Amino acid sequence: MLLTAFGGLMWLIYTAMLVLAVVALVMAGLARDDAYRAANKQTKVFWLILLGLAVTVNLLVPMLFLQIAFLVATIVFFVDVRPALQQVSGGGRGGRRGGSSSDGPYGPYNGGR
């Protein structure tokens, strides 16, 4: 009984790692090439290869060490790279987030007043 529950829990964890890797791979593929350079991150090809390997390892290689290593890479993409890409691309929630077209990097431009 306990081994069956443990096996089910491990299957759930493996499935979650696979889903995260697939979602990260799709998001990395949808971002523009120049956004990676503008955000000062590795290239799009680098992230596509790394996240593609993460999906492959999760599907084909039942080695927990490799899966955890690629899980770390997937988490880095979600926590570091994706927000930087969104900031550079102007994406994110709410578009411009309520700003005006005359807003500069330090607040609204008031015409020299």
Side-chain angles (χ1 to χ4, degrees), residues 14-65:
Y14 290 149
T15 304
M17 287 192 299
L18 175 63
V19 168
L20 276 174
V22 169
V23 169
L25 179 63
V26 169
M27 288 182 173
L30 292 176
R32 296 186 338 245
D33 273 338
D34 59 338
Y36 288 89
R37 287 188 303 273
N40 200 19
K41 302 297 176 188
Q42 292 289 335
T43 63
K44 181 176 183 174
V45 174
F46 172 84
W47 283 106
L48 288 176
I49 290 171
L50 189 67
L51 295 170
L53 285 172
V55 170
T56 304
V57 164
N58 280 311
L59 281 174
L60 302 177
V61 184
M63 293 179 60
L64 188 60
F65 175 74

